[in-house]
Amino acid sequence: MTACAYAPDGRIFAGALSDGSLQIWSTTSGFSKPTHLVPHPKQQLHLETTSMYSSRPARIQKDAWDKDAEVSCLAFSNDSTLLFARADDSTLRVWDVRVLNEPLKVFNDLPLHYGQTDICCSPDGDLIATGTGSHQKGEETGQLVFIDKTRLEVVSKLGFQGGGSVIRTAWHRGINQVFVGLGSRTAGTVSPLRHSVQATEPSCSRTRGGRS
C-alpha cells in the first residue's frame, strides 16, 4: 500500500496498492482484527517480534491505474463521496466511492517527481488542489493546480518563481489560506498564498536561507 486515507465521515478507509488496485474497507463491519500484539518499544530491543493484521476490503477496483504507477496520495472530498488519487503517471483520478466501476475523471499532464506530492481540499469543499513537477512543457517551475469539485475542471494554475516542484499543500480552514511547499535537489521553499485560488502570486516565501 503506497497511500491511504480515511473518509471525513469515518465510515470508510481507502488504500492504493502496488498491484494497481484501489481497495475500500468499511470501518463499521470487521474493519481490522489484530492477530498479533506488538510489544512496547522498549521490549522490542530485546525480543524479536512480528505483527500482522487481517482484513477484507468491502470493495476492490482492480486495474485502477497501471501497475507500474505509484500513488502518492489519496484524499476524500469533504462530503466523503469522491476520492482523489494522485499518481506518478502524471495523473489525478477522481472516483465516486459509491460506484467504483470507472473513474469519473482523469486529469492528465500533471507531472509528479516526488512521492510526497499530495492533494488538499478547500474549507468549503468546492475546490481541490495539487502540485505538479517542474519543467512541465518547458516551464521552469511546477504549478499549483486548482480543480472545481462539482464540474471536475481545472479552474486555475499558479506558478512560482525560483524553480522547483510543488510537492506539499495545506489549506488552512480558519484563515482560508494555502501553504505550498516547493522543492528541488538544491533548495526548498514554503509559500503562503493570500487569497487561495484568487491569488496571482505568493504573499511571501521562506527558503532555507530565510524570508524573501
Side-chain angles (χ1 to χ4, degrees):
M1 186 179 295
T2 62
C4 58
Y6 273 102
D9 62 10
R11 294 179 180 273
I12 57 175
F13 173 86
L17 278 69
S18 57
D19 63 359
S21 67
L22 172 63
Q23 302 191 13
I24 294 181
W25 288 262
S26 170
T27 61
T28 59
S29 58
F31 166 58
S32 179
K33 296 181 180 179
T35 58
H36 187 88
L37 296 178
V38 181
H40 188 274
K42 290 184 179 180
Q43 297 177 358
Q44 292 183 25
L45 298 176
H46 307 286
L47 299 176
E48 182 179 353
T49 62
T50 59
S51 62
M52 179 177 64
Y53 288 83
S54 62
S55 62
R56 292 184 178 181
R59 285 169 287 172
I60 300 177
Q61 176 62 42
K62 296 183 179 180
D63 300 321
W65 38 76
D66 191 89
K67 293 183 179 180
D68 295 329
E70 180 174 316
V71 177
S72 67
C73 181
L74 291 176
F76 281 92
S77 60
N78 291 359
D79 60 7
S80 301
T81 61
L82 299 182
L83 179 64
F84 308 99
R86 189 74 167 93
D88 64 3
D89 58 357
S90 300
T91 65
L92 186 151
R93 287 175 168 81
V94 185
W95 302 84
D96 186 330
V97 297
R98 298 163 295 187
V99 183
L100 284 181
N101 294 330
E102 296 289 339
L104 294 177
K105 179 85 173 187
V106 178
F107 294 91
N108 296 295
D109 299 322
L110 300 175
L112 186 153
H113 302 324
Y114 293 88
Q116 300 84 4
T117 303
D118 61 359
I119 304 166
C120 69
C121 297
S122 63
D124 59 12
D126 291 339
L127 297 170
I128 63 170
T130 189
T132 67
S134 56
H135 306 297
Q136 179 183 0
K137 296 181 179 179
E139 297 171 357
E140 294 183 358
T141 67
Q143 294 180 320
L144 181 62
V145 179
F146 293 92
I147 297 172
D148 184 282
K149 175 211 160 191
T150 303
R151 303 197 310 266
L152 294 181
E153 297 176 356
V154 174
V155 295
S156 181
K157 294 182 180 181
L158 180 63
F160 297 83
Q161 296 180 353
S165 299
V166 177
I167 304 172
R168 303 290 290 181
T169 57
W171 205 316
H172 196 287
R173 295 182 178 274
I175 60 177
N176 196 28
Q177 192 172 51
V178 183
F179 293 83
V180 182
L182 300 94
S184 66
R185 294 182 178 180
T186 59
T189 303
V190 176
S191 296
L193 309 182
R194 287 194 188 95
H195 304 296
S196 64
V197 70
Q198 287 80 25
T200 57
E201 61 181 11
S203 57
C204 64
S205 64
R206 184 175 295 275
T207 64
R208 293 175 182 173
R211 183 170 176 172
S212 60

